[in-house]
Amino acid sequence: MNVVIDKQQAHRLLDQLEPAQFEAVLQLLLVMADPVAASLRNAPFDDEPETEEERLVVERARSETSLGTSNEQLLREFRFR
């Protein structure tokens, strides 16, 4: 495998792409080069069963999302809508 030749070939292929295709390839490369994304891809699957305490915490957090002020309410209050 000759890295220089491979990179030159990749550049030629990129030059041949339509803008939408180029954007798709760019997004793929960004994800592939992102160290956080790589960590997530390589992280082991969490196969431990959820504890009752964890279930209750999640349930409480989900119920609290219905409390508070919505974005629409804030926009009206500050006269953005």
Side-chain angles (χ1 to χ4, degrees):
M1 174 183 225
N2 187 331
V3 175
V4 173
I5 292 173
D6 290 342
K7 284 186 177 186
Q8 290 171 345
Q9 182 181 11
H11 282 274
R12 282 193 302 276
L13 291 170
L14 288 171
D15 289 340
Q16 295 173 16
L17 296 177
E18 297 294 325
Q21 294 172 312
F22 180 84
E23 180 64 27
V25 171
L26 177 61
Q27 293 304 314
L28 177 62
L29 289 171
L30 290 171
V31 169
M32 291 173 66
D34 181 358
V36 174
S39 293
L40 292 173
R41 275 193 312 276
N42 297 324
F45 178 73
D46 181 8
D47 60 352
E48 293 181 21
E50 185 178 53
T51 66
E52 182 63 17
E53 180 183 4
E54 290 169 331
R55 190 191 65 71
L56 291 172
V57 168
V58 169
E59 185 179 308
R60 187 175 335 119
R62 288 186 176 147
S63 70
E64 290 174 358
T65 60
S66 63
L67 304 175
T69 307
S70 72
N71 287 342
E72 287 297 321
Q73 289 171 310
L74 287 173
L75 292 172
R76 279 195 302 275
E77 183 178 332
F78 290 100
R79 297 193 176 119
F80 288 111
R81 287 205 178 165

